């Protein structure tokens, strides 16, 4: 059970306000005390009784209620975490300017807790220079921005602007407060809120419109590197790593199922590659670099799941290194391998999507995300799939848990489950 937090959920006035119920529900089910602060506009979209029933607490809206107990600062001061979902363009602008003309604005200003916002608006509003500048300002202050997702909007249009799914927002928010959410499987087995069911149903409907496996990558050329490179020391020994290649192979299977032409650049896979891929087997980082770079010239999507050795022995002996010559200690001189991903980003052709992976041992969730953001910027790729690894985590397992960041550092998706289901979610983001 994770630590019990006091969480303020701000709900602002957009059509996605109905999905805020799912966010509140997820946080309550994770064992936290949730206090909703709704704007007047939000209550036009979702009823106060619903928010009170789901949060199990009274809903606050009015700046001038509870003046004696100084409610406008008390809520902010008591919060361990503030989540605003949905955050409209107007709310984002007010947050950027520090405007406190309602209870939510006051609560935010009176708080030093992590603030997570889930923007929701039409694509044009999201792309408007004012919103872009406001989001940059908020990000610069360390505010976490989740989404928006791309997809069908309220009208007939579609594009980026749809509020991220409630479960994702809840998970990202808890991580921002340094709490690992309980796995969904161990959550209280109550039916989830109707809105979550609705959004699942919509996803199912969207999937049903596609033939089996989806067609969204038909005719696309996808290059995937997988496994772990080995750098030979002598004819019998190498420097290697624990990557099994399972996540890369799962991505290859998922891309094939969507009709893509898949090149799998494989370094020592522990699992069989799927039938139907063009398989290029490599041993070392240098071999992997030349195979991937060559294949990438005609690729629409390049995904680097391979664990590439950062260093190789300065010298590879032709004969076995003997104990008699090394003595009690043996010092190896290593030289840096090229950064394949950074090179691909440098030479990327127009329209190509480049995806990196990062396996990190950092245990703190927010520090992990910051590491990922740094790596994404350093590598110059379009997306970075981040996961935590350890002695017993991440390698040679059938499941995975990832956070996907896009260029600029926004979290665009979180997924956990089998490596195949995670692969499918990753392809959804890329496609
Ligand atoms: N990568 C690469 N070439 C390298 C090292 C890594 O292309 N020489 C790619 C990996 O395939 C992965 C991404 O870069 O997609 C991140 O790899 P990771 O090992 O996490 O990062 P490093 O760059 O090696 O940085 P560090 O080990 O210092 O964390």
């Amino acid at each position: 059970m994770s630590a019990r937090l006091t969480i303020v959920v701000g709900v602002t006035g957009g059509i996605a306000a109905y999905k805020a119920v799912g966010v509140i529900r997820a946080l309550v089910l994770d064992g936290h005390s949730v206090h909703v602060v709704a704007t007047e506009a939000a209550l036009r979209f979702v009823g106060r009784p619903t928010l009170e029933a789901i949060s199990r607490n009274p809903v606050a809206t009015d700046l001038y209620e509870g003046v004696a107990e100084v409610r406008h600062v008390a809520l902010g001061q008591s919060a361990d975490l503030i989540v605003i979902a949905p955050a409209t363009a107007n709310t984002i602008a007010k947050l950027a300017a520090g405007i406190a003309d309602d209870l939510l604005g006051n609560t935010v200003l009176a708080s030093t807790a992590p603030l997570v916002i889930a923007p929701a608006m039409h694509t044009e509003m999201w792309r408007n220079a004012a919103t872009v500048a406001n989001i940059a300002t908020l990000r610069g202050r360390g505010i976490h921005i989740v989404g928006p997702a791309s997809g069908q909007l309220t009208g007939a249009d579609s594009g980026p602007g749809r509020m991220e799914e409630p479960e994702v927002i809840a998970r990202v928010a808890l991580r921002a407060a340094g709490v690992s959410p309980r796995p969904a499987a161990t959550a209280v087995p109550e039916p989830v809120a109707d809105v979550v069911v609705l959004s699942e149903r919509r996803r199912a409907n969207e999937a049903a419109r596609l033939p089996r496996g989806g067609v969204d990558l038909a005719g696309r050329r996808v290059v995937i590197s997988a496994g772990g490179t080995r750098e030979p020391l002598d004819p019998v020994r190498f420097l290697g790593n624990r990557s099994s290649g399972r996540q890369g192979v799962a991505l290859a299977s998922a891309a094939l199922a969507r009709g893509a032409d898949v090149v799998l650049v494989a370094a020592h896979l522990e699992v069989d590659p799927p039938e139907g891929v063009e398989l290029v087997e490599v041993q070392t980082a240098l071999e992997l670099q030349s195979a991937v770079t060559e294949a990438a010239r005609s690729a629409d999507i390049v995904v680097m799941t391979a664990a590439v050795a950062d260093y190789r022995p300065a010298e590879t002996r032709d004969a076995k290194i003997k104990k008699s010559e090394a003595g009690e200690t043996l010092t190896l001189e290593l030289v840096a391998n090229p950064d394949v991903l950074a090179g691909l980003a440098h030479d990327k052709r127009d329209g190509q999507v480049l995806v990196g992976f990062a396996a990190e041992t950092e245990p703190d969730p927010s520090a992990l995300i910051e590491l990922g953001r740094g790596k994404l910027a350093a590598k110059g790729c379009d997306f970075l799939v981040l996961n935590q690894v350890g002695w017993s985590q991440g390698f040679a397992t059938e499941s995975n848990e990832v956070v996907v960041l896009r260029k600029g550092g926004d979290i665009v998706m979180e997924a956990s489950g089998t490596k195949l289901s995670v692969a499918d979610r990753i392809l959804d983001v890329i496609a």
Side-chain angles (χ1 to χ4, degrees):
M1 174 93 184
S2 44
R4 187 176 159 87
L5 302 178
T6 299
I7 304 175
V8 169
V9 175
V11 183
T12 72
I15 186 70
Y18 79 93
K19 283 166 78 179
V21 177
V23 179
I24 298 161
R25 178 75 158 185
L27 295 171
V28 169
L29 287 182
D30 202 64
H32 307 286
S33 166
V34 177
H35 302 268
V36 175
V37 177
T39 62
E40 293 292 345
L43 296 180
R44 291 170 183 248
F45 292 95
V46 60
R48 183 190 291 265
T50 307
L51 295 171
E52 293 195 338
I54 300 294
S55 70
R56 304 172 187 173
N57 274 311
V59 169
T61 41
D62 192 348
L63 194 49
Y64 301 102
E65 258 173 31
V67 174
E69 70 223 49
V70 207
R71 176 164 330 150
H72 69 289
V73 289
L75 268 169
Q77 284 169 341
S78 66
D80 300 310
L81 168 68
I82 301 183
V83 187
I84 303 183
T88 59
N90 182 47
T91 300
I92 288 168
K94 282 167 50 174
L95 289 173
I99 291 174
D101 63 349
D102 58 11
L103 187 58
L104 183 59
N106 278 270
T107 303
V108 169
L109 284 190
S111 171
T112 53
L115 173 58
V116 178
I117 68 166
M121 64 198 75
H122 278 277
T123 303
E124 293 76 9
M125 295 171 80
W126 174 246
R127 290 191 175 140
N128 186 287
T131 308
V132 170
N134 290 332
I135 287 287
T137 302
L138 297 183
R139 194 173 289 125
R141 281 187 209 143
I143 292 168
H144 304 262
I145 321 279
V146 197
S150 277
Q152 184 85 46
L153 300 172
T154 318
D157 47 346
S158 65
R162 194 158 66 83
M163 191 173 93
E164 188 46 278
E165 293 305 320
E167 325 80 276
V168 175
I169 297 168
R171 291 164 63 83
V172 171
L174 291 173
R175 281 175 196 281
V179 171
S180 296
R182 290 184 296 164
T186 61
V188 183
E190 285 180 56
V192 286
D194 280 354
V195 288
V196 179
V197 173
L198 265 179
S199 72
E200 297 289 32
R201 194 177 302 144
R202 189 188 55 223
R203 235 190 261 150
N205 287 342
E206 278 166 10
R209 264 186 259 128
L210 300 172
R212 225 161 68 83
V215 292
D216 47 354
L217 292 178
R220 300 283 183 181
R221 193 166 162 82
V222 180
V223 175
I224 299 168
S225 73
T229 62
R230 290 181 182 177
E231 310 298 316
L233 280 162
D234 66 21
V236 293
R237 304 185 181 98
F238 58 82
L239 296 176
N241 59 69
R242 293 178 54 209
S243 177
S244 68
R246 281 183 172 78
Q247 186 62 71
V249 165
L251 272 158
S253 303
L256 279 175
R258 290 168 184 241
D261 296 328
V262 181
V263 180
L264 183 63
V265 178
H268 310 284
L269 301 182
E270 285 176 20
V271 286
D272 290 334
E275 263 181 47
V277 294
E278 187 183 324
L279 187 67
V280 184
E281 287 185 288
V282 296
Q283 308 287 325
T284 64
L286 291 177
E287 284 177 28
L288 183 136
Q289 181 191 33
S290 74
V292 172
T293 308
E294 176 56 35
R297 285 190 224 288
S298 55
D300 299 297
I301 297 171
V302 183
V303 189
M304 285 287 293
T305 68
V308 184
D310 289 326
Y311 296 92
R312 65 180 183 277
E315 174 196 17
T316 304
R317 304 284 193 91
D318 282 333
K320 200 178 155 195
I321 301 168
K322 301 298 283 180
K323 227 173 6 195
S324 52
E325 54 170 303
E328 281 308 304
T329 59
L330 173 64
T331 307
L332 296 174
E333 195 191 346
L334 304 177
V335 293
N337 273 326
D339 190 318
V340 182
L341 182 57
L344 291 169
H346 184 262
D347 299 333
K348 197 167 82 107
R349 63 194 186 93
D350 277 353
Q352 191 177 65
V353 180
L354 187 56
V355 185
F357 267 65
E360 302 287 354
T361 50
E362 171 58 55
D364 175 58
S366 14
L368 179 72
I369 301 286
E370 282 318 309
L371 263 180
R373 289 192 171 124
K375 196 166 273 190
L376 177 71
K379 302 270 181 182
C381 48
D382 300 301
F383 295 98
L384 189 82
V385 182
L386 188 59
N387 71 333
Q388 214 173 47
V389 290
W391 292 110
S392 57
Q393 197 183 354
F395 298 111
T397 55
E398 295 305 330
S399 64
N400 206 359
E401 186 170 346
V402 302
V403 176
V404 181
L405 306 175
R406 77 168 156 223
K407 205 176 210 122
D410 287 347
I411 295 173
V412 281
M413 195 270 281
E414 283 204 76
S416 58
T418 63
K419 286 185 173 169
L420 190 59
S421 70
V422 167
D424 230 18
R425 296 286 313 276
I426 294 170
L427 290 183
D428 280 342
V429 170
I430 302 170

